[in-house]
Amino acid sequence: MDQANARWAFNASKWTPTFEQIMAASSYIQPEEKQRISKYVFQDDAKSSLIGRLMLRKFVHTTTLLEYQNISFGRDGRGKPYLIGTGDITVNFNVSHQGDYVVLGGSEGKNIGIDLMKIEPPANKNIPEFFRIMRRQFSDHEWKTIYSYFKESEQIACFYRMWCLKESYVKNIGLGITVALNEISFNVKSELKVGEITMDTKLYVRNCLKENWFFEETFIDDKHAVAVSYEDDNGQRNPLTYKFLSYDDLVKEAKPLVAPDAEFANNFVQKKVKPQ
Ligand SMILES: CC(C)(COP(=O)(O)OP(=O)(O)OC[C@H]1O[C@@H](n2cnc3c(N)ncnc32)[C@H](O)[C@@H]1OP(=O)(O)O)[C@@H](O)C(=O)NCCC(=O)NCCS
């Protein structure tokens, strides 16, 4: 296998797709993926989901050398995508799309979870009210960490960092999660910085340190936090930095699975863009 450990990012907000690009993309993905993407009201969400699916295909193709036509994804009972019918190929991946970016974490063998959050004040709520609603999702220790910051802008940044960590763990475990979210508690040390990977966060589940769990965190830019989780009995791996992909990078080697779908492409380009 080649390049089985990957961290990729795509700035979806900077990509304005053409009808021709969507026509081509419609031939690279499975019918159920098209159906799901077509249901989004806003083009921003459809775009991010589409990019996520193209990323998954590129990742599987480049790491396993499987032909595009032989790459097929299913979803488990909770919705996590997996590669169908590949025998002993043990490649794992997860994507997240939120705010301006889509990210992918890929791993050879072990499960992986990734989560991305745009750091912005909650819509239609003040921050104390928002935190009150979220109270039960985080542990006392996590709230103490969030409130250790004086400014609300720093509190919200810390909140979303914790959120990413928690979701990266939940998305990794998938079906196996049996504990309440506030019993999954993170102890963060270093501050996050754009372009630097932080690896010293510790996970406690029901107050028990999970020594074999590792978290790679960074800021993709000054508004987006991201966390990747993996479990490894052999210890921590070298942290990976994010590679920023262009649309051409994503589809360079893509081959059609099905004929281009004009109905899908028309529906896609006519979707509304979210008001800023
Ligand atoms: C299902 C869930 C994991 C998806 O996460 P999300 O933040 O809404 O969305 P993200 O952008 O991070 O990820 C979406 C992608 O992850 C993948 N995905 C979907 N369900 C998944 C799951 N159960 N586990 C892992 N990955 C999943 C898919 O590729 C999906 O993209 P697609 O549907 O376009 O193909 C999340 O909604 C959830 O149920 N979390 C439970 C825990 C919780 O409530 N946390 C609150 C904050 S602490």
Side-chain angles (χ1 to χ4, degrees):
M1 266 195 262
D2 188 25
Q3 307 164 7
N5 295 309
R7 306 288 179 265
W8 290 346
F10 182 93
N11 189 332
S13 71
K14 293 219 169 119
W15 177 52
T16 307
T18 62
F19 181 79
E20 289 69 30
Q21 283 175 325
I22 301 300
M23 275 293 273
S26 72
S27 72
Y28 304 143
I29 59 174
Q30 293 162 224
E32 61 273 20
E33 295 176 300
K34 283 195 296 183
Q35 272 172 21
R36 206 179 163 96
I37 291 166
S38 292
K39 284 187 189 145
Y40 284 110
V41 173
F42 290 109
Q43 194 182 91
D44 316 53
D45 299 318
K47 212 165 60 165
S48 296
S49 187
L50 174 63
I51 293 295
R53 306 309 294 188
L54 295 174
M55 268 187 173
L56 290 182
R57 290 200 142 67
K58 179 183 167 73
F59 174 71
V60 170
H61 172 72
T62 51
T63 55
T64 65
L65 304 180
L66 273 173
E67 290 300 332
Y68 268 80
Q69 290 91 336
N70 297 330
I71 298 171
S72 174
F73 297 105
R75 285 184 191 260
D76 71 16
R78 287 273 184 100
K80 184 171 182 172
Y82 62 88
L83 188 58
I84 292 177
T86 47
D88 56 0
I89 296 178
T90 54
V91 69
N92 278 292
F93 42 76
N94 198 212
V95 300
S96 182
H97 37 82
Q98 216 268 330
D100 300 339
Y101 287 90
V102 185
V103 287
L104 171 140
S107 139
E108 190 179 347
K110 300 282 176 169
N111 270 345
I112 189 163
I114 189 165
D115 198 61
L116 167 80
M117 284 305 284
K118 186 168 186 177
I119 297 164
E120 56 191 351
N124 309 323
K125 276 181 205 72
N126 64 41
I127 289 174
E129 170 65 2
F130 178 59
F131 284 172
R132 194 187 60 73
I133 294 165
M134 299 307 300
R135 177 76 193 89
R136 281 161 38 147
Q137 316 292 341
F138 293 82
S139 70
D140 289 346
H141 178 78
E142 289 170 330
W143 283 116
K144 221 168 132 184
T145 310
I146 293 166
Y147 286 120
S148 70
Y149 292 92
F150 180 68
K151 289 195 214 155
E152 280 193 341
S153 59
E154 293 169 337
Q155 291 175 355
I156 203 83
C158 181
F159 172 88
Y160 281 125
R161 176 181 183 181
M162 296 292 191
W163 180 298
C164 282
L165 285 163
K166 210 167 284 234
E167 282 275 5
S168 76
Y169 178 67
V170 170
K171 290 180 75 183
N172 183 318
I173 299 266
L175 282 175
I177 183 153
T178 52
V179 281
L181 286 177
N182 61 8
E183 292 179 321
I184 300 164
S185 183
F186 288 93
N187 189 357
V188 301
K189 288 197 182 76
S190 306
E191 295 296 326
L192 301 191
K193 289 197 188 112
V194 178
E196 278 181 26
I197 310 292
T198 295
M199 295 282 292
D200 55 6
T201 290
K202 301 285 179 213
L203 166 66
Y204 291 78
V205 178
R206 294 192 176 124
N207 296 321
C208 184
L209 174 63
K210 296 289 173 187
E211 289 183 47
N212 298 338
W213 276 87
F214 301 102
F215 296 85
E216 285 178 17
E217 298 171 84
T218 191
F219 281 135
I220 292 285
D221 66 11
D222 60 349
K223 289 201 181 66
H224 294 78
V226 62
V228 164
S229 74
Y230 62 87
E231 187 182 16
D232 200 328
D233 298 337
N234 300 321
Q236 205 164 50
R237 302 177 206 150
N238 288 331
L240 296 174
T241 49
Y242 284 77
K243 183 174 172 189
F244 288 80
L245 303 181
S246 68
Y247 184 74
D248 287 346
D249 293 333
L250 269 185
V251 295
K252 205 159 37 196
E253 292 165 30
K255 299 268 178 352
L257 293 171
V258 288
D261 183 337
E263 194 185 333
F264 173 84
N266 271 317
N267 167 290
F268 193 105
V269 294
Q270 283 169 24
K271 284 181 190 292
K272 286 180 280 185
V273 172
K274 277 183 194 166
Q276 287 300 311

